Amino acid sequence: MSNIAIRVENLGKRYRMGQYVGSGAQYKTLRESLTNAVSAPLRRLRRNSQSEIRHPKSSSFLWALKDISFEVRHGEVLGIIGRNGAGKSTLLKILTRITEPSEGRAVLSGRVNSLLEVGTGFHPELTGRENVRLSGAILGMTGKEIDRKFDEIVDFSGVEEYIDTPVKRYSSGMRVRLGFAVAAHLEPEILLIDEVLAVGDAEFQKKCLGKMGDVASEGRTVLLVSHNMASIVNICQRAILLDNGNMVTDGQAAEVVQHYLATARSAGGEVVWPDPAQAPGNDIVRLHAVRILQDGIDGSTAGVDISKEVLIQIEYWNLQEGAHLYPAIWLDDQMGTPVLSSSNATSVSLTEDPWYGHAHPLGLFQSLCRIPGNFLNEGRYTVAAILGKLPSETFVLEREIISFDVHDTGEMRKEYYGGWRGVVRPRLAWNTKRIGSVVRGIKDEN
Amino acid sequence: MEQEVQENRLLNDIEGLSQSNAVPTTIIQPSRGLLSLKLGELWQYRELLYFLTWRDVKIRYKQAVLGFLWAFIQPFLKMVVFSVVFGGLAKIDSEGFPYPIFLYAGLLPWQFFADAVNRSGQSIVAEANLITKVYFPRLIMPVASVGAALVDFAISFGILIAMMFYYQIIPGVSILMVLPLVSLTILCVLGVGVFVSALNTAYRDFRYALPFLVQIWMYVTPVIYPVTIIPENWRWLMALNPMSGIVDGYRSAILGKPFDWPHLGISLGITTIMFLTGLAYFRKTERYFADIV
């Protein structure tokens, strides 16, 4: 057995244009193909998905991944980072065999398990017991293995009492716990993981992190794709940075993360999709623009003053008459640590949003979220824009869609010049009183 | 190309060994040219196939008050309605047998065919979430749907037995032909179902055409009428539809009328061609499923 667990050689993946952009419009319709077949009779014979992907015109496709080569030793924990669309997920999907590469090859030696979501294959109508078996089988456990570990899995999940209840009656937390319990009992030699750490409550995330640490220390090979820089630095020895489908850096995790933070995130204070057809979203809602604004600055800005309100403006098209839409944001710091999440729901918003809970007519809408001044810390924050329909359907979730830097103007720098510890830096009320005289004896003995 | 096939074979061998103590090795690379059908891989994942079939059966009747009874009620009602309309009112010829049993002997394989094709046709699209989240041989999905439909098929045999008692039809030796006929039906259903599941994934609006096509298919198959209704010189055209030979074969096996061997032979040939074509088309498109589904 060689020392190399994963060897990737010149791996590349291309998509046809229009296949990769956005969701929704990826598959062809018969009508499209028929029209094409009629209008281009010469190409007709070659007109099927294979010949088209194999002999595409160079202008009509997009490389999601290109010339990726690296090796992972047995027992090594490798992080993969990069901004949205950099090719991280594509790489993982190729290594998990979910999708095929267009060129190059990868060789994995050892039993491979992948975890791209928690609760893979769960069916709401089935009971917890049935779902453990099903999910286990889908993730690659044998029936015997599942039988052997069943009690342990249920124990770990902490949902024993409800194990014979259909999963649709579970709370989302219970479902996640059960799903993770199954995943945690896989015994792969190579584990490929995507962002599963991003789900669940803080306690659950901690449990996942602990389990991941265990897996790593047991000498398993782990490949982890994550937006959370803190977990990359904590768990991985090594990391590779992808940008635009290319490999930028390969090195010690902390250094690669530093490099990423210093260079990868572009700033402009504004993202706009002029063409609705290309914008993230679906038939109901599509994103039009996200901007960072601040009073006293003309137009959008990528740098804001720590002492003033930061305004996050989201514009979106409502494409379905009468949809009850809601916008929301997530704010993460530069290590990927979640700072806050907020929406215009009446119970969440400081001031009541007149459109919340109301049927939206067709049109372009603009929502504004105000984050108070003297609240965020210095440094870079990234915004995720979320659009959904009430009660709880999410149509758009664009992470790291925009970022901005919070600069200290010196207001809080009069007494102290070091970095402030903490994700936020609100100004809190302090008051000190003298509440008594010196205790007899202390002063005397000195 | 030669080398590619060899490599695939080698890969299968390596994967086969993983059951013993050798290190399982996965080689990922773009597949080109003729693919092996990778049936060995399917065998390795047989447990998953079983679980998914079991899940499909379970879910199908989970929320229904009458549960599994539906598997009896549906074909029974269909038989009654068709008997009244086509046998009672339209007085369609039934080759001398009571119309209901004549009809049911043909409805039995047809119902299975229609049901399984509809279900496996939707299988890949319906499981888009799974397809994009974990790897397993994609072929398992439509095959599991056919497996689930097979359970209903088995149940509907119960009605047949009851009807045979009712009409006092004593089966002859020909009844033994039911077994090879069932295998042939499964082969035909797999070919069409697997093909349609891939087509439905590549061309999403195919799902609107599918129920309609299955409906038309039924009328060109001698389900509600006997083959003899078709003029002799047009029979060859009918034989091109493998289900016509199969349906007629069930009638011969169950009712004891003579077999039309040439017709059945053509059905076997066409079914085999359809099965291989369907499988090949599926293998060719499956590598893009996760990208287009």
Side-chain angles (χ1 to χ4, degrees), chain A residues 68-257:
Chain A
I68 306 293
S69 301
F70 61 88
E71 282 178 352
V72 187
R73 290 190 310 278
H74 281 289
E76 199 173 19
V77 183
L78 178 74
I80 299 173
I81 58 176
R83 35 181 302 140
N84 264 351
K88 307 185 296 282
S89 300
T90 307
L91 177 59
L92 205 60
K93 283 196 168 165
I94 291 173
L95 294 180
T96 50
R97 292 199 285 167
I98 289 168
T99 186
E100 231 182 47
S102 311
E103 58 172 38
R105 72 192 236 138
V107 180
L108 286 75
S109 50
R111 185 179 158 171
V112 186
N113 275 138
S114 59
L115 220 49
L116 268 58
E117 69 174 352
V118 172
T120 311
F122 270 26
H123 196 286
E125 295 288 345
L126 299 177
T127 66
R129 183 185 301 276
E130 292 164 340
N131 269 314
V132 166
R133 291 179 184 283
L134 184 64
S135 186
I138 288 171
L139 291 172
M141 283 196 223
T142 62
K144 268 188 216 147
E145 225 179 324
I146 302 168
D147 286 341
R148 189 154 43 80
K149 292 180 187 161
F150 187 81
D151 293 337
E152 230 179 297
I153 292 174
V154 176
D155 223 39
F156 187 89
S157 70
V159 299
E160 295 97 323
E161 286 170 68
Y162 306 97
I163 199 68
D164 289 310
T165 309
V167 162
K168 65 178 172 185
R169 295 200 220 293
Y170 280 31
S171 70
S172 59
M174 284 161 70
R175 215 172 300 175
V176 165
R177 281 208 296 278
L178 188 62
F180 187 77
V182 177
H185 287 81
L186 293 168
E187 281 176 354
E189 282 152 320
I190 301 175
L191 186 59
L192 310 168
I193 316 177
D194 188 10
E195 299 258 41
V196 270
L197 300 169
V199 297
D201 50 29
E203 192 200 355
F204 177 71
Q205 289 193 8
K206 222 164 111 189
K207 202 167 171 180
C208 293
L209 276 167
K211 190 74 195 174
M212 298 262 315
D214 290 353
V215 169
S217 64
E218 280 162 15
R220 310 252 170 85
T221 311
V222 181
L223 215 117
L224 169 69
V225 164
S226 181
H227 275 103
N228 188 317
M229 295 304 136
S231 64
I232 293 275
V233 172
N234 282 333
I235 299 171
C236 308
Q237 296 119 32
R238 211 180 108 200
I240 59 176
L241 170 60
L242 299 181
D243 188 33
N244 233 334
N246 297 303
M247 210 165 104
V248 182
T249 337
D250 176 349
Q252 221 215 322
E255 283 168 19
V256 176
V257 166

Side-chain angles (χ1 to χ4, degrees), chain B residues 55-131:
Chain B
R55 181 198 68 167
D56 275 10
V57 172
K58 201 133 195 174
I59 290 163
R60 185 141 148 107
Y61 300 108
K62 194 103 183 179
Q63 278 224 307
V65 184
L66 296 175
F68 261 102
L69 275 180
W70 279 112
F72 285 101
I73 296 170
Q74 275 174 337
F76 183 74
L77 284 183
K78 203 156 198 169
M79 183 270 291
V80 169
V81 171
F82 280 18
S83 294
V84 169
V85 175
F86 299 111
L89 301 175
K91 305 240 183 294
I92 290 176
D93 172 52
S94 53
E95 296 180 307
F97 299 99
Y99 188 81
I101 186 117
F102 168 84
L103 169 77
Y104 196 78
L107 201 55
L108 188 74
W110 176 260
Q111 237 356 77
F112 167 57
F113 175 83
D115 188 31
V117 167
N118 272 324
R119 285 163 77 169
S120 56
Q122 298 294 337
S123 62
I124 301 285
V125 177
E127 298 292 347
N129 191 40
L130 217 49
I131 300 280

